[in-house]
Amino acid sequence: MTSPRRTRRVRSTGDPRVLAYLRVSTEQQAESGAGLDAQRMAIQAEIARRGWTRVEWVIDSAWSGRDLDRPELDSALARLEAGGAEVLIASKLDRISRSVHDFSGLLDRASRQGWQLVCLDVDVDTSTPSGELVAHMVASTAQYERRVISQRTKDALAAKRAAGVRLGRPAVLPERVVRRVLEERGAGSTLRAIAEGLTADGEPTARGGAVWSTSSVQAALGGQDGMRLRWITAREVAQSGGPAVVHALDMITNTPAHLIDADWVRQSDTTWQELASDERCERCVELLRAVSGE
């Protein structure tokens, strides 16, 4: 039979041993010290108000708050569990965690192990039931905000890609090389055969190497230039009882480059080829103008 977990009671002391936790997410913030200084000032004011004197500063520089896997926080939690400190204090809840799951687990650890968690921005103090309730509510809000921001960022990047805006690092392969890889792959050549041909012809890889591998060929196929060129020279005809409409068709996968109407009928004998002057769908017109300057 498994023995029940023992809970260590929080010691009643007017001057506990305190670990003051600071965190910034980027190297720039860590180097400037601005974010750390603001957190330190807020904590120092609260420490002075409470009359605490036994304080040690714990700093994680350039670490995300997405999870609890941070070296200095790990060390602080181990000390709290071992009874080497009684309080973990931070200026803001999101300095500790942005995850509801992680923060809930942290609250449970504090309760079982007998130490106190204090977050100044929301007046969280886990030594009281109301403080724990507020902590859970704020953690839920923080996670919601992070997910909303993430989705907005994804939507914005998708809109930029659709408009032909280059994202990330600049192109390192000449367009002629990318076109060659696409055409050979579209004609049925294997990745290894394409790699051997490029190596034999002395074409440098994206990193300036002399030998192409199947992975470097795959990277060219899936890169921004590769994905753009894969469908800019392709066509497919939609038949919905009206005039034929030209759609962009991925020359590698032989599938439409974007979602189209449900009444589109796949032509089994159609493959990629140069776009004709037939009437194109509005979505294809937008995409082609954005990336080719039509």
Side-chain angles (χ1 to χ4, degrees), residues 276-291:
S277 58
D278 305 57
E279 182 182 357
R280 300 169 186 166
C281 75
E282 293 182 3
R283 180 59 174 152
C284 286
V285 170
E286 293 175 1
L287 293 173
L288 291 168
R289 283 176 177 170
V291 298

Side-chain angles (χ1 to χ4, degrees), residues 8-17 54 86 114 116 127:
R8 176 163 54 88
R9 295 182 180 275
V10 179
R11 297 173 183 174
S12 177
T13 174
D15 192 16
R17 291 168 294 180
R54 297 190 293 173
E86 287 77 43
Q116 183 179 345
S127 64

Side-chain angles (χ1 to χ4, degrees), residues 172-293:
V172 291
L173 282 175
E175 185 172 304
R176 61 175 179 79
V177 175
V178 178
R179 284 186 178 276
R180 171 178 171 174
V181 171
L182 289 169
E183 290 172 359
E184 292 185 10
R185 185 59 171 166
S189 297
T190 64
L191 298 178
R192 182 174 298 280
I194 297 173
E196 291 175 349
L198 291 168
T199 300
D201 291 344
E203 292 287 0
T205 67
R207 296 186 177 182
V211 179
W212 284 73
S213 65
T214 56
S215 60
S216 55
V217 173
Q218 189 65 57
L221 290 171
Q224 289 192 57
D225 281 339
M227 293 304 295
R228 173 174 60 87
L229 295 172
R230 282 169 70 153
W231 57 262
I232 195 173
T233 57
R235 65 168 297 181
E236 177 63 86
V237 178
Q239 291 182 331
S240 57
V245 178
V246 175
H247 286 291
L249 186 73
D250 189 314
M251 60 188 290
I252 304 300
T253 64
N254 223 30
T255 58
H258 63 90
L259 294 176
I260 57 180
D261 295 337
D263 59 0
W264 172 69
V265 178
R266 176 60 194 274
Q267 304 299 295
S268 60
D269 59 344
T270 306
T271 185
W272 73 276
Q273 55 186 285
E274 290 298 322
L275 277 167
S277 58
D278 305 57
E279 182 182 357
R280 300 169 186 166
C281 75
E282 293 182 3
R283 180 59 174 152
C284 286
V285 170
E286 293 175 1
L287 293 173
L288 291 168
R289 283 176 177 170
V291 298
S292 64

